[in-house]
Amino acid sequence: MVEDEDEKRALEEDIAGKILLACWRGVRAEIERILASVANHIATDATVGRVGRKQRSKLLREVGDVFKHATNDDHGESRGCHLRRVVIDAEEKISKYELLLASRNAPRTMQGRQTSADELPGVVTGEIGTQGYLPPLN
């Protein structure tokens, strides 16, 4: 049973992460399938001569290079940062709820005295999912 808002928020984030990860994997698989189909059509289209197919393939490679090297702008990074972390945590099977409970149950020392997790700045309250730099999703 959920005892407080922090636990509820941690459980919600765990569930949201799993849902987003499943959606991401489905969308990514569909995009990869479509791209493979389009690339195959471009490279093997019998209505275009050999020189035309070769030129199309070269242009397709250039478009692929553009997408490969594309990065988010500063605004996109800040807006998607938390969601990216939630999905990465779900993929790595990191549970915010389990981390929260473990941090509350484990005594900690701070400046030579016993300290509960609730007394540590930024450990749990309002800080769930904010771990800094996030690598791009693959």
Side-chain angles (χ1 to χ4, degrees):
M1 176 160 235
V2 178
E3 293 182 19
D4 61 25
E5 284 300 311
D6 287 333
E7 287 184 24
K8 180 180 175 187
R9 193 175 4 194
L11 282 171
E12 288 170 351
E13 192 166 306
D14 287 349
I15 292 167
K18 290 175 183 177
I19 292 168
L20 288 171
L21 179 60
C23 291
W24 170 250
R25 287 178 175 165
V27 168
R28 182 177 174 185
E30 184 66 12
I31 289 171
E32 288 173 349
R33 186 189 66 75
I34 291 170
L35 284 175
S37 175
V38 169
N40 184 52
H41 177 74
I42 287 172
T44 62
D45 186 2
T47 63
V48 178
R50 186 174 189 279
V51 173
R53 287 193 306 269
K54 190 171 184 175
Q55 185 178 14
R56 282 181 171 188
S57 295
K58 182 180 176 183
L59 293 172
L60 184 62
R61 181 172 287 128
E62 288 178 22
V63 170
D65 288 341
V66 169
F67 280 106
K68 184 177 180 180
H69 295 98
T71 60
N72 288 337
D73 61 6
D74 291 335
H75 301 302
E77 283 293 323
S78 63
R79 285 191 301 242
C81 190
H82 181 73
L83 288 177
R84 186 175 300 146
R85 177 82 260 157
V86 169
V87 173
I88 290 169
D89 287 347
E91 189 170 36
E92 294 176 357
K93 299 186 181 356
I94 296 171
S95 169
K96 296 291 191 307
Y97 180 71
E98 289 176 11
L99 290 173
L100 174 69
L101 293 181
S103 71
R104 286 184 176 173
N105 293 330
R108 300 179 190 254
T109 60
M110 185 175 186
Q111 297 177 351
R113 66 181 183 87
Q114 289 287 94
T115 308
S116 73
D118 293 331
E119 293 178 90
L120 296 175
V123 170
V124 175
T125 307
E127 297 290 331
I128 296 172
T130 54
Q131 284 94 358
Y133 173 75
L134 302 175
L137 291 174
N138 294 335

